[in-house]
Amino acid sequence: MSEKNYDIIVIGAGCGGLTAAAFAAKEGKKVLLLERHNSPGGFSSSFVRGRFEFDVSLHELCRFSNEAGLGELRILFDYLGISNKIQWTSIPEAFRLISRSYDGRKIDVAMPFGVEDFINAMEQYVPDSKESMTRLFKLGDEIEEATEYFAANETKMSFTELRHIMKKYGNFVKTAPYSVNEVLDALSVPKKAQEIFNAYWMYLGVDCDRLSFTHYISMVNSYVKLGAYVPTLRSHALSMALAGVIEDNNGEIRYNTHVSRILFTDGKASGVILKNGEKITCNHIIANCSPTTVYSKMMKKGDVPLSAIKRTNARTFGARGACVYLGLNRSPEELGIKNYSYFITDTSDTASQFALMKSIDTNTAQATVCLNIANPDCSPAGTTILCMTTLYTDNCWADITPEGYFEEKDLLAARLISKFEDATGITIHKYIEEIEVATPVTFARYTNTPQGVIYGYLGDDWDSIIPRFMTEELDCDTPGLRFCGGWGTQLSGVNSAVASGRNAAFATLGDISEERSEQNEQ
Amino acid sequence: MNNKIKVRSTLNDIRNFTNIPELRKGVIQEAPETPINGNFTVNSIANFLHPSVQYLKVKQVAEINRSTRAYILEPDAAHGTAKLAYYRPGQWISVTLNIGNAVVTRPYTLCASPLRSVEDEYMLIVSKKPDGFASHYIINNWKKGTEVVASAPMGNFYYQPLRDSKNVVAVCDNQGFTPFLSMAEAIADKSLNMDLTLIYSARKQAEAIMSQRFDELSENTPNFRIIYVFSDEHVFKCERGFVTKSLIEKYAPFTKYSLFVCGSNTLYNRLIPQISELKLENKYIRFGLNGQINTPEALSDFPQESIGKTFLCKVIKDGSLISTVPCSATESLLVALEREGIKAPSLCRSGECGFCRAKLLKGNVFIPHGVDNRRLADSSHGIIHPCCSYPMSDMTLVIN
Ligand SMILES: Cc1cc2nc3c(=O)[nH]c(=O)nc-3n(C[C@H](O)[C@H](O)[C@H](O)COP(=O)(O)OP(=O)(O)OC[C@H]3O[C@@H](n4cnc5c(N)ncnc54)[C@H](O)[C@@H]3O)c2cc1C
Ligand code: FES
């Protein structure tokens, strides 16, 4: 075999690809990670404008804790040895929600972390919600235990096993098929409490009529119980730390390297061809890019299994993203900004909001973060970093002409800024010292993500995390090729991308040892 | 455990749970077998606005003065560039040049109105720099038909309506007029909505490059006007001397205004104390990039003991040692690599864009204060920007 044959080639150094490569390298595999950009991280990155350094994407991490061994992400980072190499900033509270209730009244609530505090705050805003909210968080704990069980045990769904599962995790089983709203109704959570509880939906980009209850409650439960964290030096610090694990374990990373094709030999992935024509061979590939891109652009037609074509055609793209990054020349105190995370929407009915996000003109919804509230030293004294993120649920940015693009960007920024000002009563437009606007076009440019999608495939009811897990084998129909990251099995976000990277690495390690034992048998 | 929860009925809930895999299989089974649509319309716009490379051809050369040429560039369809990328007035492209053994890049401002790019034309104005290198090569070699490899438009020195005052007072010299020419052209053809007052500083009238065009624009464009300041001669209707606080105030509007400055280091050094007296908020002052620092030893924080020293830099790319390069303490690492013919990535050459990003495995560099725009996590992981890093010891560098 030539010197350049790798056990595993990972395509794309987003959080998923970095994690997959880190695990595989740590297990002693010969790993090559290829990234078209000049630095690691994909969306998990940062950039500098004037006196400010902005995080591209990260609002907050969940399943993480200050304490070693607590939270899925923390455990994973402990294993990779990076928890203590990264400086962490803890997020002080859950969120501030400003929206409109079903009865037309304004919603303006600030929710704390901590289950008891969260429930008490809810009771204050929505009297008589306490009992159902308490049940809800208890259910959250049960679901956490259940998902741990499922993650640790391969289930065959035999009758005896089902009986065991029903006995121990009955409430998980009975709520797993349903959407957030279906379960909240069943638990008799008052409508107004539902509106507040659903605020985090923008992190997943699926309205609560379709969003998997199991997925949502796991996320919210973790936030409220463990709190949230961000790397103090922005998410780029996380990406650099993950890249460091790969390098320390003799893995190779090549930046500015664009993979254009995936090669197959005898129906199994066997290498890649780079944009410059160079060919590199390997035994396994983990792709951090979208399956749609891989199947439509990077593989020969005949190499794509029919099942992969159908699966890809069945799926819809998740939300496209846009961000406005603001460096303001006043302190948060001077401006009157008190909260870290603002969810600002036109309606608390998530399905209606989802529909408003189909077009550029009607969309002013935002998840806005003021980093200084968590980390007062993130920008020079007397200044503030404020980042606004919005989602589009259609390809509306494809209708822009190149000549009109810059103006459209400025209009988008103006719209989000004035919505923020209206909702909070805080003036910011006079204090803009630096501004950068990222649209779906920008994200398409930097990460090559199709249509500027930031959340992978839509976690629709039939394609949410539980169905994806229960039919995992369906998605592994292309021998030698696995996927990770936001387009992988666990949906999007740093937490999911990292977890899917680990899973893809272990699955591939499993493939390798299976092949080895097959070879030994022969 | 919670008392038993049910959503519909216990039986239904269990049935729906066990049915989850079938549900997903069913939807996939129903999906069409048609080829997967890989036509990503948003990505097409992204590629159009930010192509990874632009292949251009010189369409026309005009002599502006003895050492300055204007180049009209057009897309080189034969090499794959069908349309030119659109840009914001003030942005620039980086051109790659093979000069002898060296492979170098240089940034040049797009001087025309962006509307002309829709008509398949970019314009660059290149002035020979005394003691320069690439600028001489361009002026001596580029002619009609010359093929030019360039980047997409880049840069953050443009008018941003949400940040800047609509009234902009700009100061330039003949090394920094180009962004303002593009702005003035765009104001004239109404593709840019701002009010620009340009104060153009030169020693003599004859040295103010493109003054004829600026005069025409000033005469015919209500939102643009130009004022010249000559240090070495009296000219009718022009100011005499240097750009000072009171001169800026004389031409600045009474309302709020933004101050844009672009030009040589001499201009910056002279202007900075004057500007600080204007008591403008930080957000109203913006400087154009001034390129690589060729004489770092003139900076007050430069380690004087290193002057005259030469070091060796081991260069690693794609996992292997590709070269050992001699490098002088007073020349940027990027230039040292380029001299050896190493294709090292770079765009702005000013420390800003981060495109040259490389990892310093061993050794030390000097990074001038004020051009260190590295990300925090980069600085703490030994990443440097070779375009503004000066060798202070032997070293090992990993480039992309
Ligand atoms: C954002 C921006 C926009 C700009 N726009 C314009 C514009 O519109 N018009 C314009 O005229 N200029 C513009 N410039 C300046 C331009 O990019 C060049 O710096 C200028 O033309 C001078 O280039 P030069 O190579 O002649 O000289 P320099 O780059 O200043 O100096 C020569 C350099 O070449 C190195 N060198 C010498 N010999 C060799 C060799 N054999 N191999 C490799 N390297 C060698 C030297 O060490 C030295 O570093 C702009 C600069 C920036 C940053
Ligand atoms: S080339 Fe832009 S930072 Fe070095």
Side-chain angles (χ1 to χ4, degrees):
Chain A
M1 241 179 246
S2 85
E3 196 208 342
K4 273 207 169 143
N5 190 72
Y6 291 88
D7 293 323
I8 303 174
I9 287 181
V10 180
I11 306 173
C15 279
L18 284 167
T19 308
F23 271 92
K26 219 172 147 61
E27 292 299 316
K29 296 294 166 225
K30 200 170 169 202
V31 178
L32 174 64
L33 172 57
L34 302 171
E35 164 60 46
R36 61 193 270 290
H37 202 47
N38 75 340
S39 65
F43 285 102
S44 179
S45 189
S46 65
F47 64 94
V48 174
R49 287 289 177 275
R51 304 194 273 168
F52 303 91
E53 180 168 342
F54 300 101
D55 203 301
V56 170
S57 61
L58 183 62
H59 288 209
E60 45 190 337
L61 294 171
C62 60
R63 304 190 168 96
F64 188 86
S65 145
N66 249 342
E67 225 177 284
L70 201 56
E72 184 196 19
L73 189 69
R74 172 75 205 214
I75 293 167
L76 195 154
F77 287 167
D78 288 347
Y79 176 82
L80 292 177
I82 58 172
S83 297
N84 295 326
K85 287 191 180 161
I86 301 170
Q87 210 183 319
W88 298 97
T89 291
S90 79
I91 307 304
E93 89 263 307
F95 58 82
R96 168 113 170 249
L97 170 70
I98 305 176
S99 186
R100 198 140 304 271
S101 174
Y102 71 97
D103 61 8
R105 292 203 195 158
K106 185 172 176 176
I107 301 171
D108 188 347
V109 300
M111 300 301 287
F113 281 136
V115 175
E116 214 181 304
D117 289 350
F118 190 95
I119 292 172
N120 288 338
M122 188 71 97
E123 177 69 17
Q124 237 178 12
Y125 293 122
V126 188
D128 298 327
S129 62
K130 191 165 188 165
E131 197 196 318
S132 58
M133 287 306 294
T134 308
R135 288 215 310 157
L136 184 56
F137 277 103
K138 243 168 109 189
L139 177 57
D141 287 343
E142 291 167 31
I143 284 171
E144 193 186 318
E145 280 173 40
T147 46
E148 275 166 16
Y149 170 84
F150 283 104
N153 300 281
E154 220 171 289
T155 52
K156 299 250 159 21
M157 288 297 160
S158 64
F159 183 72
T160 40
E161 197 183 8
L162 197 62
R163 245 184 33 191
H164 166 73
I165 293 169
M166 269 314 293
K167 218 166 127 198
K168 265 201 99 175
Y169 308 113
N171 289 335
F172 162 78
V173 168
K174 285 183 287 171
T175 52
Y178 300 111
S179 72
V180 175
N181 285 345
E182 282 170 310
V183 178
L184 295 187
D185 282 342
L187 289 179
S188 310
V189 176
K191 183 91 176 127
K192 294 226 168 201
Q194 292 191 22
E195 292 179 320
I196 296 170
F197 186 77
N198 288 355
Y200 279 117
W201 81 276
M202 274 179 72
Y203 283 176
L204 298 174
V206 189
D207 61 71
C208 293
D209 288 350
R210 288 181 292 170
L211 177 59
S212 153
F213 172 74
T214 315
H215 191 183
Y216 189 67
I217 189 75
S218 324
M219 181 181 84
V220 177
N221 200 32
S222 155
Y223 273 134
V224 175
K225 255 168 71 178
L226 297 181
Y229 292 82
V230 292
T232 308
L233 304 185
R234 318 297 185 272
S235 51
H236 186 49
L238 169 57
S239 306
M240 290 300 289
L242 286 169
V245 176
I246 299 166
E247 284 159 353
D248 291 347
N249 288 282
N250 304 314
E252 287 173 47
I253 308 178
R254 280 211 222 166
Y255 298 106
N256 290 354
T257 305
H258 193 138
V259 175
S260 47
R261 312 281 303 171
I262 296 179
L263 297 172
F264 281 78
T265 311
D266 301 329
K268 181 174 175 269
S270 60
V272 297
I273 295 194
L274 308 182
K275 206 174 175 185
N276 67 8
E278 188 185 342
K279 179 178 160 180
I280 311 175
T281 62
C282 65
N283 301 330
H284 290 269
I285 291 178
I286 298 175
N288 187 196
C289 40
S290 88
T292 305
T293 311
V294 168
Y295 291 134
S296 69
K297 292 183 192 295
M298 295 165 70
M299 285 170 63
K300 263 207 328 253
K301 286 254 146 48
D303 290 333
V304 184
L306 183 63
S307 52
I309 295 178
K310 291 180 77 129
R311 182 175 65 254
T312 310
N313 284 337
R315 306 177 108 170
T316 336
F317 285 159
R320 295 90 179 133
C323 294
V324 178
Y325 308 94
L326 297 169
L328 305 170
N329 68 358
R330 293 287 185 280
S331 68
E333 298 78 46
E334 288 167 318
L335 295 166
I337 297 178
K338 294 195 181 68
N339 301 97
Y340 175 80
S341 167
Y342 293 81
F343 292 115
I344 301 173
T345 54
D346 298 308
T347 163
S348 61
D349 178 46
T350 57
S352 312
Q353 188 64 58
F354 189 92
L356 286 172
M357 291 168 165
K358 280 188 197 302
S359 113
I360 297 182
D361 304 334
T362 55
N363 185 19
T364 56
Q366 58 193 277
T368 293
V369 156
C370 179
L371 190 52
N372 304 69
I373 301 298
N375 174 11
D377 300 328
C378 70
S379 65
T383 67
T384 298
I385 290 178
L386 196 67
C387 296
M388 309 171 151
T389 303
T390 192
L391 304 176
Y392 295 97
T393 51
D394 208 341
N395 292 331
C396 41
W397 280 85
D399 304 330
I400 303 296
T401 61
E403 300 86 70
Y405 176 68
F406 298 117
E407 198 184 338
E408 200 62 50
K409 264 178 123 167
D410 296 342
L411 285 171
L412 154 67
R415 223 176 274 127
L416 293 188
I417 290 166
S418 82
K419 177 75 177 185
F420 181 87
E421 293 185 331
D422 287 349
T424 61
I426 296 167
T427 302
I428 51 176
H429 72 273
K430 289 185 190 159
Y431 307 111
I432 300 171
E433 178 173 318
E434 296 293 343
I435 175 169
E436 195 53 74
V437 184
T439 71
V441 177
T442 318
F443 292 132
R445 168 199 182 185
Y446 277 105
T447 71
N448 215 17
T449 183
Q451 307 292 41
V453 167
I454 60 171
Y455 284 171
Y457 294 112
L458 187 76
D460 213 336
D461 42 16
W462 67 273
D463 200 21
S464 74
I465 200 160
I466 301 282
R468 286 189 200 181
F469 257 121
M470 288 173 84
T471 56
E472 219 173 359
E473 73 291 346
L474 281 187
D475 299 43
C476 306
D477 49 10
T478 319
L481 174 64
R482 289 180 179 275
F483 291 95
C484 69
W487 297 90
T489 42
Q490 322 217 182
L491 289 101
S492 198
V494 172
N495 285 90
S496 300
V498 164
S500 80
R502 173 202 55 200
N503 293 357
F506 281 134
T508 303
L509 294 170
D511 296 342
I512 292 173
S513 52
E514 229 169 79
E515 283 163 15
R516 199 160 293 151
S517 55
E518 272 168 31
Q519 273 166 9
N520 288 345
E521 275 166 31
Q522 277 164 16
Chain B
M1 184 157 120
N2 257 330
N3 286 333
K4 295 209 172 69
I5 285 170
K6 61 174 189 273
V7 179
R8 298 208 176 129
S9 71
T10 302
L11 211 62
N12 262 324
D13 291 347
I14 295 174
R15 189 179 306 140
N16 285 340
F17 178 76
T18 49
N19 201 33
I20 289 174
E22 291 315 311
L23 185 72
R24 183 163 190 259
K25 284 179 193 160
V27 177
I28 293 172
Q29 201 47 47
E30 294 292 301
E33 294 175 7
T34 46
I36 297 167
N37 180 9
N39 173 25
F40 307 140
T41 44
V42 173
N43 300 62
S44 305
I45 298 182
N47 290 336
F48 184 80
L49 285 162
H50 309 287
S52 55
V53 54
Q54 298 195 88
Y55 295 100
L56 313 173
K57 234 169 35 192
V58 177
K59 184 178 176 184
Q60 202 183 319
V61 185
E63 180 166 332
I64 306 293
N65 66 30
R66 244 188 39 202
S67 57
T68 305
R69 304 283 181 278
Y71 297 96
I72 306 291
L73 303 172
E74 61 182 347
D76 185 356
H79 282 87
T81 297
K83 291 293 283 172
L84 299 176
Y86 200 70
Y87 57 94
R88 292 202 191 216
Q91 290 193 304
W92 45 269
I93 54 173
S94 167
V95 302
T96 302
L97 303 159
N98 291 287
I99 309 177
N101 177 43
V103 189
V104 308
T105 67
R106 289 292 184 273
Y108 289 102
T109 308
L110 295 160
C111 294
S113 161
L115 282 188
R116 269 182 70 191
S117 71
V118 182
E119 315 279 300
D120 291 337
E121 284 186 359
Y122 278 165
M123 180 168 76
L124 305 184
I125 297 177
V126 178
S127 293
K128 248 189 208 176
K129 188 170 163 187
D131 309 320
F133 177 62
S135 56
H136 294 242
Y137 173 86
I138 290 175
I139 291 191
N140 297 338
N141 290 277
W142 282 14
K143 49 183 186 289
K144 188 175 156 59
T146 302
E147 291 170 1
V148 177
V149 178
S151 71
M154 301 276 305
N156 305 312
F157 188 65
Y158 52 74
Y159 168 68
Q160 212 306 335
L162 296 168
R163 174 195 64 199
D164 305 320
S165 165
K166 192 161 178 266
N167 298 303
V168 175
V169 176
V171 181
C172 74
D173 59 16
N174 60 16
Q175 285 184 43
F177 67 89
T178 49
F180 304 121
L181 181 57
S182 177
M183 288 179 204
E185 297 279 8
I187 293 168
D189 71 22
K190 300 203 163 50
S191 56
L192 181 60
N193 183 15
M194 69 187 278
D195 290 327
L196 179 64
T197 302
L198 176 62
I199 303 174
Y200 195 148
S201 160
R203 285 191 308 183
K204 297 174 170 179
Q205 187 171 28
E207 288 179 10
I209 305 169
M210 293 305 281
S211 59
Q212 247 180 337
R213 182 61 190 152
F214 276 122
D215 290 341
E216 270 168 39
L217 287 164
S218 184
E219 233 157 77
N220 303 319
T221 313
N223 300 334
F224 171 69
R225 73 170 165 161
I226 186 148
I227 291 108
Y228 297 98
V229 187
F230 299 121
S231 58
D232 290 11
E233 65 184 11
H234 265 300
V235 178
F236 180 56
K237 279 190 172 167
C238 296
E239 295 283 347
R240 172 84 202 260
F242 294 104
V243 183
T244 58
K245 167 183 180 270
S246 49
L247 191 92
I248 292 172
E249 280 176 333
K250 177 174 170 190
Y251 291 102
F254 293 113
T255 52
K256 277 226 158 90
Y257 64 94
S258 283
L259 183 67
F260 286 12
V261 183
C262 189
S264 62
N265 276 322
T266 323
L267 179 78
Y268 286 7
N269 291 340
R270 193 174 301 123
L271 216 53
I272 286 166
Q274 300 288 325
I275 291 176
S276 69
E277 280 185 36
L278 285 169
K279 305 259 180 294
L280 290 176
E281 286 179 69
N282 232 316
K283 74 167 244 149
Y284 291 114
I285 308 168
R286 309 203 73 82
F287 286 92
L289 291 184
N290 51 354
Q292 74 185 22
I293 299 170
N294 287 340
T295 48
E297 63 274 25
L299 301 170
S300 58
D301 49 345
F302 188 86
Q304 295 298 311
E305 66 280 8
S306 294
I307 295 175
K309 287 195 180 151
T310 305
F311 304 103
L312 286 177
C313 176
K314 289 187 178 149
V315 184
I316 295 175
K317 188 178 156 75
D318 295 344
S320 37
L321 180 73
I322 57 164
S323 186
T324 301
V325 174
C327 48
S328 140
T330 51
E331 210 171 66
S332 80
L333 260 175
L334 177 62
V335 171
L337 300 176
E338 289 179 338
R339 274 183 189 279
E340 289 295 301
I342 295 171
K343 255 189 159 172
S346 69
L347 288 169
C348 73
R349 309 184 73 90
S350 312
E352 190 195 64
C353 75
F355 193 66
C356 60
R357 199 175 176 275
K359 184 159 185 165
L360 189 61
L361 280 187
K362 233 167 70 188
N364 303 309
V365 293
F366 165 72
I367 301 171
H369 182 73
V371 296
D372 189 0
N373 285 308
R374 290 176 298 167
R375 293 176 276 185
L376 292 164
D378 271 352
S379 305
S380 65
H381 280 87
I383 299 290
I384 59 166
H385 294 173
C387 70
C388 60
S389 302
Y390 298 82
M392 291 291 124
S393 70
D394 289 344
M395 63 188 89
T396 308
L397 187 70
V398 185
I399 64 166
N400 290 328

